[in-house]
Amino acid sequence: MGQLAPRLADQENVLCTLAVDLNAQLHFEPGLVALTNQRVLAFSQATGWTGWSLLTPAGAFVPDLRLRHFDHAGVGTLELQGNDGRLAGWRFTLGNNLQALRLVRLFAQQQAGGPAGAATLTGSGTAQDTDLAVCPECDLPLPPDSEECPACARDLHTPPSTWVLLRLWRFAHPYRGQLLAGFLLTLASTAATLVAPYLTIPLMDEVLIPFQNGQQIETSKVVWILGGLLAAAVLGWALNWARTYLLALVSERIGADLRTATFDHLLDLSLDYFGAKRTGDLMARIGSETDRICVFLSLHALDFATDVLMIIMTAVILFSINPWLALVTLLPLPFIAWMIHVVRDKLRTGFEKIDRVWSDVTNVLADTIPGIRVVKAFAQEKREAERFREVNHHNLVVNDKLNKTWSLFTPSVSLLTEIGLLVVWAFGIWLIARQQITVGVLTAFIAYIGRFYGRLDSMSRIVSVTQKAAAGAKRIFDILDHVSNVPEPAQPVKIEALQGRIDMKGLGFRYGNRSVIRGLDLQIQPGEMIGLVGHSGSGKSTLVNLICRFYDVTDGSIQVDGTDIRRFAVADYRRNIGLVLQEPFLFFGTIAENIAYGKPGVTRAEIVSAARAAHAHEFILRLPQGYDSLVGERGQGLSGGERQRISIARALLINPRILILDEATSSVDTETEKEIQRALDNLVQGRTTIAIAHRLSTLRKADRLVVMDRGQVVEVGPHDELMAKQGAYWRLYEAQARQVDSEDDSALAVNQQTQIALVTSQLSHAAQHAAQQTGNR
């Protein structure tokens, strides 16, 4: 505000300020946006101070001036828009999102002439209202835990436009030389195909019609004309082959680059993006959508270019032969163009619906096939079959609706071209009767018109595939345009050797409007083992995710060795973190490949050493191919304890300075837990360790226990000290102990009932046997 104050005019009051912390490249960079009763002012390190007036010279609010707010994956965006489009834009992390909503709301009040001045802020603009959960556009209440207004969501989910295909030039640019060659080949091949109809004029007027009138046929002339027709056909074939092959190669490479770029960008996105998406939908986008775009580029875009060139060149030739007959030929063109315009919008939205419905079909497959064991265990085959039948039927209904439109459009275009051909015949015969053209000219016209109308019909059919490709491109660019809420720093701090000291100061984090962690302060010393305990939903896993930087904090900071983790390059930082999850994920491949996943290229000796330390070497050697044994999808060929020990070996191999254990022994039996615990004892040596455990007894070796409740730390200390306090940890421990005792009592009662039933059965059997012996006697 000290820098802002000298720039204010007389009677100009600051209504709200917003601290923005991201630049256009999504790198951390401080900036400021200020709303006054006269202007919008902004400061950035690149451009300095800039301003946009809100008022006209007459004192009225500038018409059509808007301030739009967007929130994509935790990165907020403000855009100032006017009649000429986007005037300016600013980006910021979610920590400033509520203040951004306040600024937009005050802007709207200014625009409506409301009492914006009553909300004037002084200071840094950190004041907050109790009614901030309101849509800045329509002023309607936002749904709980959401910052997207359903009434305004249509602005964020617009139907695909054909112009989105032009964005593919980004991927076509490296192949611009081959594309230029393909265009020249297309031009030449189209010209070659137009030679044949032109040669029919001398063939009819100078050879066939004179022959019917009694003249002799000139053999040399016929040979030259037929030779010209053959040469044009052969040349057209060669040029067509060359351009088709060249452009097919280019389109395949564009498609491959598009798939690679999409997948690379997908891997860079933060975890919250994947939490809101279905696996089948993402697979369909990267797979089928890119294939559809590739087919469009290799076949239909080429055909479209050929059609356009053919129509233009044919029209030029027709006008050069006879302008009046050419005008008659073009009569159906406006009607066909109007039909294409009407049908295009219906096809565009229809194909986007088909894409979404097809994603639902893929989602059912992606859910059911990996979970087939659960499906069969609960005998739900019929239910899943019915579920698939429903989405498949929905897909059929949507396709039928679109096909109804398309089936009417295509024959209508064909009918118009046939009527146009009849009109040309009639007008041509009338011109011949008046001796204004010859039969050869009309024959050539009819040949050219066949190509002309054929290309018009082909172009009308391309509308369908073009809209399919546009819908697919939009879904691809929805991924590519998505920005991660874990941005890379502009100038990352190089990591030399982490010691493992972690300092959390004023830590806060929320999903949408729901606060998960609030005001958390915690210091962890290098090599210290910390146990995180608390009820479900207390924020333990969220805290671990923040330390791993799967998400970025919205308030406060996490520092490792005195440096904010947001200043480290994400990949460099995570290479120093070992993660052992409750449900270890193994990839399809060999045991050795799974152990070496975090450190490719290591020697077999290093892999074996890590497996020995993880107590996995013995069971690996018992497998048919040892370390080269294939692991089924998600490790289905191994037991839970074996998968866990392989994941521990995987963590050991990268030698992390910070170790995260998230319920590492909660889903195994007691004997297996002992094996895993011995492996974990080797893993935690000399490392800063943060362990979440369901069984509190497994955290006895922790240096300190951190008890969390509702996103805050309520107790910290060793086990004995916390038990003596009889606070939150003592209550957790006692509740778990009572549960274990209850389970033991239940097991004892069941055992006693089983023994009584067994004795009763034996006595009954003995009595029956005695009665049988008495009867025999």
Side-chain angles (χ1 to χ4, degrees):
M1 292 293 290
Q3 295 178 344
L4 177 60
R7 290 167 175 78
L8 300 178
D10 293 338
Q11 306 300 319
E12 186 176 11
N13 298 320
V14 178
L15 304 180
C16 186
T17 61
L18 169 67
V20 293
D21 50 3
L22 297 175
N23 61 18
Q25 291 74 38
L26 296 181
H27 294 157
F28 284 107
E29 182 180 290
L32 184 71
V33 179
L35 174 67
T36 74
N37 58 342
Q38 298 179 14
R39 291 182 294 171
V40 172
L41 297 171
F43 173 79
S44 70
Q45 293 181 351
T47 60
W49 284 97
T50 51
W52 298 267
S53 177
L54 304 179
L55 305 176
T56 63
F61 199 95
V62 175
D64 296 324
L65 196 63
R66 294 179 298 169
L67 190 63
R68 303 293 304 276
H69 171 269
F70 306 93
D71 176 23
H72 296 291
V75 175
T77 302
L78 277 183
E79 283 190 359
L80 185 64
Q81 299 175 348
N83 283 327
D84 298 329
R86 182 176 181 271
L87 301 178
W90 305 276
R91 287 182 170 177
F92 48 89
T93 55
L94 265 181
N96 304 318
N97 200 44
L98 292 179
Q99 190 66 11
L101 289 172
R102 175 181 172 82
L103 189 145
V104 174
R105 188 176 175 207
L106 293 176
F107 182 94
Q109 291 179 355
Q110 276 279 89
Q111 188 177 29
T120 302
L121 293 181
T122 58
S124 60
T126 58
Q128 298 192 7
D129 292 346
T130 58
D131 58 346
L132 283 175
V134 181
C135 175
E137 293 297 324
C138 60
D139 213 31
L140 293 175
L142 292 172
D145 303 331
S146 174
E147 293 181 357
E148 179 178 282
C149 175
C152 301
R154 59 182 181 272
D155 295 332
L156 301 178
H157 307 291
T158 54
S161 170
T162 311
W163 295 107
V164 74
L165 293 173
L166 296 179
R167 297 185 62 185
L168 294 174
W169 176 249
R170 161 187 166 188
F171 299 95
H173 186 263
Y175 309 101
R176 56 191 180 278
Q178 294 93 318
L179 290 173
L180 177 61
F183 174 77
L184 294 177
L185 286 171
T186 301
L187 186 65
S189 64
T190 304
T193 58
L194 292 175
V195 172
Y198 200 83
L199 292 178
T200 59
I201 297 177
L203 184 63
M204 294 291 296
D205 292 342
E206 299 177 19
V207 177
L208 296 179
I209 294 177
F211 175 73
Q212 283 186 337
N213 295 330
Q215 296 183 14
Q216 294 294 323
I217 294 178
E218 295 184 26
T219 306
S220 60
K221 181 176 291 187
V222 172
V223 170
W224 275 107
I225 293 175
L226 294 181
L229 290 172
L230 178 62
V234 173
L235 180 61
W237 169 83
L239 293 172
N240 259 316
W241 172 82
R243 59 116 186 191
T244 302
Y245 180 71
L246 176 63
L247 293 179
L249 291 179
V250 172
S251 65
E252 288 293 339
R253 280 151 181 77
I254 293 174
D257 293 346
L258 182 61
R259 278 190 293 272
T260 301
T262 305
F263 187 68
D264 287 347
H265 185 75
L266 196 65
L267 293 178
D268 289 336
L269 294 178
S270 53
L271 285 182
D272 60 345
Y273 178 82
F274 295 92
K277 299 295 180 182
R278 299 287 296 274
T279 302
D281 178 58
L282 295 177
M283 291 171 61
R285 295 192 194 197
I286 297 178
S288 59
E289 302 296 358
T290 52
D291 283 343
R292 181 183 294 175
I293 293 171
C294 185
V295 170
F296 169 76
L297 293 175
S298 61
L299 297 177
H300 304 296
L302 181 62
D303 291 340
F304 180 77
T306 305
D307 294 341
V308 172
L309 288 175
M310 179 69 78
I311 289 173
I312 294 174
M313 296 171 72
T314 303
V316 171
I317 293 174
L318 291 178
F319 275 98
S320 67
I321 295 174
N322 190 290
W324 291 108
L325 196 56
L327 284 175
V328 172
T329 303
L330 299 177
L331 279 178
L333 193 59
F335 299 99
I336 294 175
W338 176 78
M339 289 181 63
I340 290 175
H341 173 72
V342 171
V343 172
R344 183 186 60 185
D345 294 334
K346 295 182 178 179
L347 292 177
R348 183 172 56 201
T349 55
F351 284 124
E352 189 184 19
K353 289 180 181 177
I354 288 176
D355 289 339
R356 289 198 298 265
V357 172
W358 183 248
S359 294
D360 292 338
V361 175
T362 312
N363 286 331
V364 174
L365 296 175
D367 288 343
T368 306
I369 294 175
I372 191 65
R373 183 173 303 211
V374 177
V375 173
K376 290 187 174 296
F378 289 91
Q380 295 298 311
E381 292 90 344
K382 290 185 178 180
R383 175 187 176 186
E384 293 300 329
E386 181 62 29
R387 185 174 161 220
F388 183 81
R389 192 177 292 110
E390 287 179 3
V391 295
N392 198 28
H393 177 70
H394 189 199
N395 177 58
L396 186 64
V397 170
V398 174
N399 275 278
D400 286 346
K401 185 177 180 180
L402 187 65
N403 289 333
K404 183 179 179 181
T405 302
W406 181 245
S407 62
L408 179 64
F409 171 70
T410 305
S412 299
V413 173
S414 299
L415 177 63
L416 285 174
T417 56
E418 292 293 336
I419 293 174
L421 186 61
L422 290 176
V423 172
V424 171
W425 269 110
F427 190 67
I429 292 172
W430 183 76
L431 289 177
I432 290 175
R434 300 188 61 178
Q435 296 183 353
Q436 294 186 12
I437 63 172
T438 64
V439 175
V441 171
L442 180 59
T443 304
F445 247 89
I446 297 302
Y448 278 121
I449 288 171
R451 285 168 167 75
F452 185 84
Y453 285 157
R455 294 302 180 178
L456 279 180
D457 187 61
S458 175
M459 286 183 66
S460 68
R461 297 175 189 275
I462 288 175
V463 172
S464 171
V465 295
T466 301
Q467 298 310 315
K468 284 183 180 179
K474 178 181 180 294
R475 286 163 55 79
I476 290 294
F477 283 110
D478 281 346
I479 296 177
L480 292 175
D481 292 341
H482 209 95
V483 293
S484 174
N485 68 342
V486 182
E488 293 281 357
Q491 296 180 338
V493 175
K494 187 176 180 181
I495 299 177
E496 298 293 343
L498 286 183
Q499 300 298 315
R501 188 180 77 255
I502 304 175
D503 297 311
M504 288 167 264
K505 302 176 181 178
L507 205 63
F509 180 75
R510 58 179 170 265
Y511 292 107
N513 292 331
R514 180 169 60 91
S515 180
V516 180
I517 293 180
R518 302 180 298 275
L520 188 146
D521 293 307
L522 181 65
Q523 290 78 40
I524 304 175
Q525 298 303 318
E528 186 179 16
M529 182 177 180
I530 293 294
L532 284 181
V533 299
H535 294 290
S536 296
S538 59
K540 304 186 299 295
S541 295
T542 301
L543 181 60
V544 165
N545 288 333
L546 293 174
I547 293 173
C548 293
R549 212 188 166 202
F550 294 147
Y551 306 96
D552 268 346
V553 300
T554 52
D555 296 301
S557 66
I558 299 177
Q559 297 181 357
V560 173
D561 293 351
T563 302
D564 194 313
I565 61 174
R566 289 173 292 189
R567 298 185 61 194
F568 295 129
V570 176
D572 289 344
Y573 172 65
R574 288 179 183 161
R575 288 192 188 100
N576 291 274
I577 297 179
L579 189 61
V580 180
L581 302 172
Q582 178 181 0
E583 291 293 336
F585 187 94
L586 300 185
F587 295 92
F588 186 88
T590 65
I591 297 285
E593 289 170 344
N594 272 280
I595 294 176
Y597 183 77
K599 195 176 181 181
V602 296
T603 63
R604 179 57 63 94
E606 292 176 285
I607 293 174
V608 172
S609 176
R612 285 183 183 277
H615 290 263
H617 181 68
E618 291 75 13
F619 84 79
I620 293 175
L621 291 183
R622 289 195 296 267
L623 297 174
Q625 283 81 38
Y627 283 86
D628 295 320
S629 299
L630 282 176
V631 175
E633 188 174 4
R634 304 191 182 187
Q636 291 298 324
L638 302 174
S639 69
E642 290 170 344
R643 291 197 299 269
Q644 191 64 279
R645 278 176 277 174
I646 289 177
S647 73
I648 293 172
R650 182 167 59 193
L652 272 167
L653 191 60
I654 66 172
N655 191 26
R657 299 307 308 155
I658 299 173
L659 179 63
I660 307 293
L661 305 176
D662 191 355
E663 304 276 8
T665 63
S666 65
S667 59
V668 295
D669 58 83
T670 305
E671 190 62 33
T672 305
E673 182 184 358
K674 292 179 181 178
E675 285 288 330
I676 295 175
Q677 198 61 52
R678 284 195 289 268
L680 291 175
D681 291 341
N682 293 332
L683 182 58
V684 301
Q685 292 297 323
R687 296 181 173 88
T688 303
T689 305
I690 302 172
I692 302 174
H694 176 69
R695 300 169 186 168
L696 300 181
S697 58
T698 61
L699 295 176
R700 292 271 185 118
K701 296 182 181 180
D703 298 309
R704 285 187 299 160
L705 298 173
V706 176
V707 186
M708 295 188 64
D709 184 38
R710 298 181 182 181
Q712 295 179 316
V713 174
V714 293
E715 284 185 345
V716 180
H719 169 80
D720 295 336
E721 179 182 320
L722 295 181
M723 288 296 292
K725 284 183 179 180
Q726 295 191 355
Y729 178 76
W730 176 82
R731 289 191 294 271
L732 283 172
Y733 194 90
E734 289 297 313
Q736 193 171 102
R738 285 194 297 269
Q739 181 181 359
V740 172
D741 292 341
S742 176
E743 291 174 354
D744 291 342
D745 292 342
S746 299
L748 180 60
V750 170
N751 187 34
Q752 289 175 348
Q753 291 175 1
T754 303
Q755 290 177 355
I756 292 172
L758 180 61
V759 171
T760 303
S761 175
Q762 290 174 346
L763 291 174
S764 176
H765 180 72
Q768 291 176 0
H769 181 71
Q772 185 178 6
Q773 292 294 331
T774 302
N776 291 337
R777 289 196 295 269

